[in-house]
Amino acid sequence: MALKGLDIFKLTPKTNCKECGSPTCMAFAMKVAQGAVELSKCPHMSADALATLSEATAPPMKSIKVGTGDAEYTLGGETVLARHEKTFVSKTRFAVKLSPDMDIDAALAESNKVDYERIGERMHAEMVYVEYTGDVAAYVEAVKKVTGIGKTIILSCTDVEAAKAALEVCKAEKPILDGANASNYEAMVEIAKAAGVVLGVSGADINELYDTTAAIEKLGYKDLVLNTTGATIKETFSTTVQVRRACLAKNPDRTFGYPSIVNLCKIAPNDEPMQISLASVFVLKYGSIVVMDTMNYARALPLYGLRQNVFTDPQKPMKVEPGIYALNGGDENSVCLTTVDFALTYFVVSGELERSGVPLNLVINDAGGLSVLTSWAAGKFSGNSISSYIKENVEPKVKSRKLIIPGKVAVLKGDLEAKLPGWEIIVGPREAVQLVKFLKDLQADGHLMTVNIWSVLYRPDYKEKCMQRDLQLSDFSV
């Protein structure tokens, strides 16, 4: 940021009103300088001071919004070159290339097969990159096919008339018009302004890209993305990295302060292994949008896993929402199993539980996003926290009174039995991989049997199991 805390403090009203949530204007100014608080939190800042500070404290890379509704995404806004310095802000988005000479419906159907959730995040190709091939009417028809499908549209088109016609079809969805270059940028700026869309800029090399971007800024248009794709892999990587370094340098050059598009279909056409490799490179090295031939699970699983690891805040643990997760058709009569809210633990455990096929309720309470032993040692996964959550959130919804706890915190069994009268506390295995056999054994022994009075009366196998466990009809109520 260009301004320090004292510089910001000089422009504050200095009333110490505390309405911003900070005890003093000085404290507020320091938080703004650190990027911890937005300027808008101060309700008494003058318009002139707000304008001055907004410009000076804005990230050297501009944040750009594209798309609408569920397909609206923010690009850019980065402040560091490496994740460990602070955090990356806007994750890389993946686009699938389409063109009028393709079977667009089939291509979309293929890429749409990849749509799954991992650690609370939807994984799918968020954008489509529609390439102009010379026929205006065919291009417009292709754009019509991708309009309204829930994906952000990128129009790869340097032809002015074709761009106008395509935007008439899809401008309401706030696409990116990736078509400005040294020869047509003035006309493209007018088209982008009229449609209110983001303009993509490209150049024959990095110098031409810089000059064209600077010329567009002089025309007063700054809703831009930079297409850093070159003629070769080496040139593309070099340009993409240099653009990001220039805008995040100690003395930033804001002419390069925009998100980037990297088109792998140009530098590695029809080469799936190379595209996957390059996509992983540009997730790490500054591709805001990465364009690929298609998206399938061979591409998605490594790329989305990498992206999720890179674009999470290292200062914040990955957590899932506390709640009751019914698995394998679990209902109010199904046994409960509890573990921590650390995302990795949750997804490993839930995967094994689903594999077991046993209906149950997975109970997750707030354990600070830590692993089982760490949260237990920190007092966040304790007899008190588990029993309180069970009483407040589980007992009103679940009739079963069986609770399986992780084997690594077997020490909690006695405490939970004292704090949860009427509950049977079962110590589970120490490792998630042992859950399938553990649950199937319990189910075979009748320990997880869902019992009601009608089952006992009309199903001899249930009645026999109840008798084996010394259960009488008087133990149940209608």
Side-chain angles (χ1 to χ4, degrees):
M1 293 187 179
L3 294 182
K4 297 180 180 179
L6 286 175
D7 298 322
I8 298 170
F9 173 70
K10 291 174 184 176
L11 296 174
T12 63
K14 305 180 186 66
T15 57
N16 296 333
C17 66
K18 301 181 178 62
E19 291 182 38
C20 62
S22 298
T24 64
C25 289
M26 175 62 82
F28 171 75
M30 293 300 176
K31 288 181 180 179
V32 171
Q34 295 167 5
V37 172
E38 297 290 331
L39 282 167
S40 56
K41 288 286 185 180
C42 176
H44 304 297
M45 193 81 73
S46 70
D48 290 342
L50 199 58
T52 301
L53 290 171
S54 295
E55 178 68 23
T57 60
M61 173 182 282
K62 188 172 181 180
S63 292
I64 300 291
K65 286 186 180 289
V66 298
T68 58
D70 291 339
E72 180 180 272
Y73 303 104
T74 300
L75 308 173
E78 305 296 348
T79 59
V80 293
L81 287 170
R83 174 180 180 264
H84 65 264
E85 294 178 55
K86 188 176 181 183
T87 186
F88 288 151
V89 177
S90 301
K91 66 188 69 171
T92 301
R93 302 296 175 177
F94 292 100
V96 172
K97 177 196 164 187
L98 303 171
S99 63
D101 54 9
M102 295 172 58
D103 185 342
I104 290 179
D105 293 333
L108 286 173
E110 180 64 24
S111 66
N112 286 341
K113 290 178 182 177
V114 177
D115 194 342
Y116 62 98
E117 187 172 296
R118 182 177 187 269
I119 317 185
E121 180 183 340
R122 185 185 176 196
M123 304 298 187
H124 67 122
E126 299 95 345
M127 302 183 178
V128 288
Y129 187 85
V130 190
E131 193 168 69
Y132 178 63
T133 54
D135 185 329
V136 175
Y139 190 60
V140 171
E141 287 303 311
V143 173
K144 285 180 180 178
K145 288 185 178 182
V146 299
T147 301
I149 63 171
K151 295 183 183 292
T152 301
I153 301 169
I154 306 171
L155 301 174
S156 174
C157 179
T158 57
D159 183 279
V160 173
E161 295 306 316
K164 282 182 181 178
L167 282 172
E168 285 300 316
V169 173
C170 67
K171 64 183 178 182
E173 297 198 10
K174 299 299 179 185
I176 298 172
L177 174 57
D178 184 24
N181 55 37
S183 64
N184 69 1
Y185 70 87
E186 291 179 326
M188 284 293 179
V189 166
E190 292 306 314
I191 294 172
K193 277 184 179 179
V197 300
V198 173
L199 182 62
V201 187
S202 60
D205 55 32
I206 191 170
N207 295 317
E208 185 176 290
L209 178 62
Y210 183 90
D211 293 341
T212 305
T213 305
I216 292 173
E217 287 184 327
K218 286 180 181 178
L219 295 176
Y221 207 67
K222 294 187 177 182
D223 286 335
L224 308 175
V225 295
L226 307 182
N227 192 326
T228 56
T229 310
T232 65
I233 293 173
K234 180 180 178 181
E235 183 184 351
T236 302
F237 180 77
S238 174
T239 300
T240 305
V241 172
Q242 287 184 68
V243 164
R244 183 64 62 89
R245 284 179 175 173
C247 75
L248 297 182
K250 188 173 182 180
N251 296 308
D253 188 337
R254 295 195 180 224
T255 300
F256 270 161
Y258 298 98
S260 59
I261 297 177
V262 178
N263 186 357
L264 302 183
C265 304
K266 179 179 177 181
I267 57 176
N270 304 313
D271 189 342
E272 182 172 24
M274 181 60 77
Q275 286 194 14
I276 295 173
S277 300
L278 291 174
S280 67
V281 169
F282 288 107
V283 166
L284 296 170
K285 287 298 179 183
Y286 317 141
S288 303
I289 299 172
V290 173
V291 183
M292 307 180 75
D293 283 328
T294 188
M295 183 58 71
N296 53 39
Y297 275 100
R299 297 168 183 245
L301 293 175
L303 291 177
Y304 289 128
L306 174 65
R307 184 182 74 174
Q308 193 167 50
N309 287 336
V310 172
F311 288 91
T312 51
D313 190 341
Q315 302 170 80
K316 297 178 182 177
M318 295 177 69
K319 300 169 58 175
V320 295
E321 287 295 316
I324 304 171
Y325 295 84
L327 303 178
N328 303 324
D331 58 22
E332 62 182 8
N333 296 307
S334 302
V335 66
C336 297
L337 184 147
T338 190
T339 190
V340 294
D341 58 348
F342 178 43
L344 182 59
T345 298
Y346 169 82
F347 282 97
V348 169
V349 168
S350 63
E352 294 298 322
L353 295 178
E354 288 173 350
R355 197 161 65 89
S356 76
V358 176
L360 49 79
N361 295 303
L362 179 55
V363 178
I364 304 293
N365 67 320
D366 187 358
L370 304 173
S371 65
V372 172
L373 286 178
T374 307
S375 59
W376 170 73
K380 295 180 179 292
F381 192 59
S382 63
N384 285 332
S385 64
I386 295 172
S387 61
S388 296
Y389 191 83
I390 293 289
K391 288 177 181 177
E392 294 173 10
N393 299 281
V394 179
E395 287 185 350
K397 301 174 183 177
V398 178
K399 293 179 180 178
S400 171
R401 290 298 182 263
K402 297 177 185 293
L403 177 65
I404 301 172
I405 63 173
K408 289 185 177 179
V409 288
V411 67
L412 295 177
K413 183 178 188 296
D415 193 20
L416 286 171
E417 287 174 337
K419 290 182 167 64
L420 292 173
W423 282 78
E424 180 184 352
I425 308 301
I426 303 170
V427 177
R430 293 177 60 83
E431 303 296 337
V433 73
Q434 300 166 333
L435 278 169
V436 175
K437 183 178 185 303
F438 174 79
L439 290 171
K440 286 186 176 295
D441 288 347
L442 283 182
Q443 190 177 49
D445 292 341
H447 283 82
L448 303 185
M449 184 171 55
T450 300
V451 181
N452 60 58
I453 185 65
W454 308 114
S455 298
V456 175
L457 288 173
Y458 295 109
R459 288 189 55 178
D461 56 330
Y462 271 36
K463 185 173 182 179
E464 182 180 347
K465 286 184 178 181
C466 288
M467 293 175 67
Q468 289 173 355
R469 297 187 62 202
D470 297 324
L471 298 176
Q472 305 297 325
L473 291 181
S474 58
D475 293 327
F476 306 101
S477 59
V478 177

